[in-house]
Amino acid sequence: MFVIRFALLSSFFYALNVSMVPLIYTFEISAFLFLFVRFGTTFFTSLLVTKSLFSFNEIKHQKLGIWILILSVLFGVQSWLYVEAVKYMSVGLASVVLFTYPLITYLIVSLRKRRSLDLITILMFILATLGIAALSQSSEGFYTMVIGIVLALLSAMTYSLILITTPKVSGLKNWEIVKYTTLIPALTFLYLFINETGFYWPQNEGIILSLISGTFFATGMMFYHMSVRKYGPIRTANIGYTEPLLVLVFGFMAYSDAITTTQGIGVIMVAIASITIERRQLKQDKRLKM
């Protein structure tokens, strides 16, 4: 039970990080500045955890340069798409849509390996599609919600590509991967922020909240790696589905982000479909390793 807490703590801190995005926006913080602080905080945390500096020689020795670059771009794009989605829909519903990534990953892997989809898989895709359609029913405006859903789905798709690409750098430890894939996004978002607005000093409250959010993100990542190492990826992934539920709760408490009955049904449908596919994928991977 103690080990389970690592996964729950990971979901809790990830959810806190995500839930702070709308609040940070109220202080007129640029999305690029927020993402710079998030990736910068995570990068320096990885330096402390690994107790080593960034080494180009290690990357060159293992011939991982191209894959590190690809993963860095994917991590940056995935985070940017998500924080943009939050501008058009509630943070809780955006998190629910993001957690369709197991379905998208399963579909990409199946197509790549030319694996036929069975009836249960097809039904889960239909269920998720209907769930997302239910989420789009909002009094805030159909087209606004659709824009948010599309951005969140693109973020989920990018996250799927991250999961598929990560095994290419399996020669590195988890925190080493974090270290090598967060520096480029941090510097890129800093450049985009300065190029977007010119240098200016934003409100101190916004900077402080961004730092707190970045710390939550790095802390969630720490507990995630502890859970995977001690508890295994299957149970960690299953418990990870508490994150969008926590974001929904935090969104309701902090921003009064209520959802309609139809949207609530959509949340349940997406969760069922995603969890079912996630478990099938993990079980298949486990059988292949045996």
Side-chain angles (χ1 to χ4, degrees):
M1 177 60 69
F2 178 72
V3 179
I4 295 177
R5 295 175 187 173
F6 290 149
L8 290 175
L9 285 170
S10 174
S11 296
F12 176 75
F13 282 104
Y14 275 143
L16 282 176
N17 159 68
V18 168
S19 300
M20 290 183 68
V21 176
L23 176 61
I24 291 171
Y25 279 157
T26 62
F27 291 95
E28 299 181 353
I29 293 292
S30 165
F32 293 143
L33 177 59
F34 167 71
L35 291 170
F36 160 68
V37 173
R38 171 194 277 188
F39 279 99
T41 303
T42 307
F43 174 72
F44 283 109
T45 302
S46 69
L47 292 182
L48 294 175
V49 173
T50 59
K51 298 178 182 179
S52 62
L53 298 176
F54 194 92
S55 173
F56 287 103
N57 290 330
E58 183 177 5
I59 297 175
K60 184 177 180 180
H61 177 70
Q62 298 193 42
K63 299 180 180 179
L64 299 176
I66 185 63
W67 296 114
I68 292 294
L69 179 60
I70 291 173
L71 277 174
S72 298
V73 172
L74 290 175
F75 273 118
V77 171
Q78 186 271 323
S79 293
W80 173 70
L81 286 169
Y82 182 82
V83 297
E84 287 294 325
V86 173
K87 295 179 180 178
Y88 297 94
M89 62 192 304
S90 73
V91 65
L93 294 183
S95 185
V96 171
V97 176
L98 175 63
F99 269 74
T100 59
Y101 70 83
L103 292 90
I104 299 174
T105 304
Y106 194 85
L107 177 61
I108 293 175
V109 172
S110 296
L111 293 175
R112 189 179 64 177
K113 295 184 177 181
R114 298 181 180 180
R115 179 195 303 162
S116 59
L117 301 178
D118 57 23
L119 179 60
I120 293 180
T121 301
I122 295 173
L123 289 176
M124 290 304 103
F125 276 106
I126 295 174
L127 184 65
T129 301
L130 293 175
I132 292 173
L135 294 179
S136 67
Q137 307 304 308
S138 170
S139 59
E140 298 177 359
F142 174 77
Y143 292 106
T144 299
M145 180 64 71
V146 167
I147 292 173
I149 288 175
V150 170
L151 289 170
L153 281 174
L154 289 174
S155 180
M157 184 180 299
T158 309
Y159 192 71
S160 298
L161 294 176
I162 291 172
L163 296 177
I164 293 171
T165 306
T166 299
K168 299 294 184 179
V169 294
S170 58
L172 298 174
K173 295 180 180 179
N174 289 332
W175 274 104
E176 292 288 340
I177 297 174
V178 172
K179 179 170 65 177
Y180 290 132
T181 56
T182 50
L183 178 59
I184 293 177
L187 296 177
T188 300
F189 286 122
L190 176 60
Y191 169 78
L192 291 173
F193 165 65
I194 296 175
N195 189 62
E196 174 189 42
T197 61
F199 182 79
Y200 76 97
W201 187 253
Q203 297 183 52
N204 290 334
E205 294 88 343
I207 293 293
I208 293 172
L209 289 174
S210 296
L211 285 170
I212 294 173
S213 178
T215 303
F216 284 154
F217 183 78
T219 305
M221 186 173 294
M222 179 188 70
F223 282 117
Y224 172 80
H225 290 311
M226 292 173 65
S227 178
V228 170
R229 185 171 65 251
K230 295 179 178 294
Y231 198 49
I234 295 178
R235 295 298 300 279
T236 298
N238 291 339
I239 296 173
Y241 278 93
T242 57
E243 180 185 336
L245 299 179
L246 286 172
V247 177
L248 283 171
V249 173
F250 293 156
F252 176 76
M253 294 172 59
Y255 314 114
S256 300
D257 287 340
I259 62 175
T260 65
T261 302
T262 301
Q263 289 176 326
I265 294 173
V267 169
I268 295 173
M269 294 169 73
V270 171
I272 291 174
S274 298
I275 292 173
T276 301
I277 292 296
E278 175 82 8
R279 288 181 174 178
R280 287 168 66 84
Q281 177 70 56
L282 292 171
K283 287 180 180 179
Q284 287 179 0
D285 292 343
K286 187 177 181 179
R287 284 198 298 267
L288 291 174
K289 293 178 181 179
M290 293 178 63

